[in-house]
Amino acid sequence: MLHTVYSLCYRLLLPFALAYLWWSTRRNGASSEGWQQRLGWVPALSEPVIWVHAVSVGETIAAAPLVKALLARRPDVPILVTAMTATGAAQARTLFGDQVHYAYAPFDTPGSVRRFLRRVRPRALVIMETEIWPNMITGVSGRQCPIFLINGRLSAKSARGYQRFGEWTRGLVRRIDWIAAQADEDAGRFREIGARGEVISVTGSVKFDVNITDAVREQSQELREEFQDRPVWIAASTHEGEDEQLLEAHARVREAFADAVLIIVPRHPQRFDSVANMISQRGFSLARRSAGEPPAAGAQVYLGDTMGELMVMFGAADVAFVGGSLIERGGHNPLEPAAWGMPVITGPHVFNFETVYRQLEEHHGLVRVSDSAGLGEAVARLFSDPDEASRLGTAALETVEANRGALNQVVEGVLARLAPEGGNTAAGGQA
C-alpha cells in the first residue's frame, strides 16, 4: 500500500520536476538529454553493465577508486555511472573520461525505471552509501540482478526516519544482496531497519583508500609556489550560511597573520558568483581560479570556482577546514585533507561522517570548533605553532594509512557476487 502511495505521489510531482528541468536547461543552455534520461530514455547499451549509482559529487568521488579497480580487474565488463545532479555527472566525466558510460539516473517512477532497465540491462547495481529508492530497488531486484550497497552508512537520525515506515522499509532493504557497511554502528542500524544480517559485512570506508596521484601533487606544488611563503588555509565544500562565518574567521586570522590567504571552495557551482560577491562586499581582495587570476601578494581570498580540483587545492594549503559542519548539514569527507598529512578542522555538525571523524579525533588528528571565533583562533594557533600543526597532520595521515584496505574487500565482494552475463530482460512501461 505504501509503495503504491509513494509511486502515485512521485507521479503527481513529476510535472513540476520536469518544468524545473526545462527551465534550468533553457537558462543554462544545457542539453535536453538530462530530462529525457531521467524519464528512462537513456541510450541503449549493446551489452549488460555494472551500474554504479552515485548521487552527487561526494558519492562520485567515493566511487572513483572502486570504478577504476573494477575496470582494471574486469576490463571485459562495461560500467555505467549515473548521478542525480549535474555536478555529480560533471565530476564523473572528469574522473573517468571515456572509460565508462554515463547517464542521469531515472526518476523513481515505475515506468521511468522500467524504460531505463530495458535499455541498460544491468548485471549488478552498485549503490554508493545510502540511496534507497523504492522503485529502483524493486525494479532491479525483480530482474534477478544483484544489488550492492557499498560504503554503507546510516546515521541514527536517518535510521529513525526509515523505521517510521516499518514493514515497507524492511521489504526494500531485504532486497539488497550485500551491504558493505563502513562501521559496526552502521551495520547495527541497517539491521534495525530490517536488513538481513547474513548480507551485511563491515568493510570500513573506501574513502580511506584515497589516492593522490603524481599529477595532482605536481599541480598542487605549482599552485603553492604562487602563494609564495604566505600562510594558507582552505575551507572546502562550504554551504550557504557558512561562508559568512568563514570570512569572519579569516578576518580574525589576519589580525595575527596579515598576509594569510583563505582558499574557499563552495560545494555547489551555482553559488560561485554569489560567494565571490560576498567576499568583495566584505572588503577582501579576491582572485578567482576560473579566471586564471594568480593569488598574487594582494589577494586575501582565493576562490576555488572550478570543478574537479579540490585535491589540488588541498595540497596547496597548510591547514584545512571541512565544510558543512558549522551548519547542520552533517559535514563532508575529511579524509582527503588528512591524506595530505595536514591538520583538519571541523565544526560541530558531522553526523554524515561520524565514524570517520571519531577515528581522526581518537588519533589526535582533528580539531573541533563550535563557531567562527573558535575557527579563527584554531587556524591562527596552528599557523603560529608549526610543531602542533605537524603533529596533527601526521596523526591524520596515520589514521588514513591505518584504515586502508576497504577498497580491496569491496572489489572482491562485488566480483564474487556478480551475476552471470545474460538472463536479464525487461519490458517497457508507463511513467
Side-chain angles (χ1 to χ4, degrees):
M1 179 62 181
L2 280 176
H3 195 112
T4 301
V5 172
Y6 165 83
S7 297
L8 177 61
C9 291
Y10 209 119
R11 286 187 176 111
L12 292 173
L13 292 172
L14 196 56
F16 299 98
L18 290 172
Y20 173 79
L21 285 174
W22 175 84
W23 173 78
S24 179
T25 298
R26 286 181 59 87
R27 183 186 64 174
N28 299 322
S31 168
S32 63
E33 69 174 5
W35 67 264
Q36 293 173 334
Q37 291 182 5
R38 294 171 202 265
L39 289 174
W41 284 301
V42 297
L45 301 180
S46 60
E47 54 185 317
V49 298
I50 297 176
W51 173 14
V52 179
H53 177 56
V55 180
S56 191
V57 173
E59 293 81 8
T60 303
I61 293 172
L66 171 62
V67 170
K68 291 176 180 178
L70 290 172
L71 288 169
R73 291 281 301 274
R74 290 296 303 269
D76 58 310
V77 182
I79 293 177
L80 169 70
V81 176
T82 62
M84 291 286 193
T85 67
T87 53
Q91 182 70 64
R93 292 183 184 277
T94 299
L95 288 168
F96 309 122
D98 60 359
Q99 294 178 290
V100 305
H101 301 284
Y102 303 95
Y104 282 101
F107 286 128
D108 201 42
T109 65
S112 298
V113 170
R114 281 196 294 269
R115 282 189 290 269
F116 182 92
L117 294 176
R118 187 180 66 227
R119 289 163 172 79
V120 168
R121 297 179 299 143
R123 288 180 63 179
L125 168 58
V126 178
I127 302 172
M128 296 304 299
E129 303 201 352
T130 309
E131 285 295 313
I132 302 176
W133 292 97
N135 285 310
M136 179 189 291
I137 295 291
T138 55
V140 173
S141 176
R143 301 165 63 89
Q144 288 78 53
C145 175
I147 301 171
F148 311 136
L149 184 63
I150 301 303
N151 225 42
R153 60 182 173 90
L154 192 62
S155 69
K157 180 179 180 182
S158 295
R160 288 193 296 271
Y162 282 120
Q163 285 176 320
R164 293 193 187 101
F165 299 100
E167 191 57 40
W168 185 39
T169 296
R170 285 191 288 275
L172 289 171
V173 296
R174 286 176 182 174
R175 292 175 179 265
I176 300 175
D177 297 275
W178 186 42
I179 298 174
Q182 293 188 22
D184 290 333
E185 296 94 329
D186 300 298
R189 289 170 190 149
F190 280 115
R191 291 189 189 93
E192 288 172 6
I193 68 171
R196 293 172 288 143
E198 67 270 19
V199 306
I200 302 174
S201 304
V202 179
T203 59
S205 173
V206 298
K207 292 185 177 181
F208 280 105
D209 290 276
V210 60
N211 177 42
I212 305 174
T213 66
D214 291 340
V216 167
R217 291 185 185 277
E218 184 177 338
Q219 292 174 62
S220 294
Q221 181 61 33
E222 291 173 357
L223 178 57
R224 177 70 230 194
E225 289 172 358
E226 294 186 38
F227 288 111
Q228 301 172 355
D229 294 326
R230 301 169 67 190
V232 181
W233 68 291
I234 182 172
S237 298
T238 67
H239 289 260
E240 185 175 359
E242 205 166 36
D243 303 290
E244 300 91 332
Q245 299 182 66
L246 296 168
L247 294 175
E248 291 171 4
H250 190 47
R252 288 176 175 269
V253 172
R254 287 180 55 80
E255 290 174 2
F257 294 87
D259 59 343
V261 184
L262 166 63
I263 303 174
I264 188 167
V265 186
R267 179 73 171 179
H268 300 113
Q270 61 266 33
R271 298 185 55 247
F272 288 161
D273 289 340
S274 63
V275 173
N277 291 334
M278 181 189 305
I279 293 167
S280 298
Q281 290 169 3
R282 293 295 182 100
F284 292 102
S285 55
L286 170 67
R288 297 185 67 157
R289 176 80 171 172
S290 63
E293 298 169 351
Q300 299 165 342
V301 179
Y302 188 67
L303 181 61
D305 55 350
T306 56
M307 291 295 294
E309 292 194 304
L310 182 56
M311 283 297 284
V312 171
M313 285 180 262
F314 274 132
D318 304 302
V319 176
F321 167 80
V322 182
S325 59
L326 282 177
I327 58 173
E328 293 189 22
R329 175 61 179 76
H332 292 295
N333 180 16
L335 296 176
E336 292 174 335
W340 277 104
M342 66 171 59
V344 178
I345 304 175
T346 181
H349 306 290
V350 294
F351 53 82
N352 284 334
F353 291 85
E354 58 183 336
T355 301
V356 172
Y357 277 100
R358 186 177 67 249
Q359 289 172 298
L360 283 171
E361 196 162 35
E362 288 173 351
H363 289 84
H364 308 289
L366 180 73
V367 176
R368 286 185 188 256
V369 299
S370 58
D371 53 24
S372 62
L375 175 57
E377 291 168 3
V379 173
R381 185 179 72 251
L382 292 171
F383 281 165
S384 63
D385 190 345
D387 289 339
E388 182 187 2
S390 178
R391 285 193 298 272
L392 283 163
T394 298
L397 178 57
E398 288 175 348
T399 304
V400 173
E401 297 294 343
N403 288 277
R404 289 186 184 275
L407 177 61
N408 186 60
Q409 293 185 60
V410 166
V411 172
E412 292 290 346
V414 169
L415 293 179
R417 296 169 173 85
L418 189 62
E421 187 173 357
N424 290 329
T425 59
Q430 301 301 310

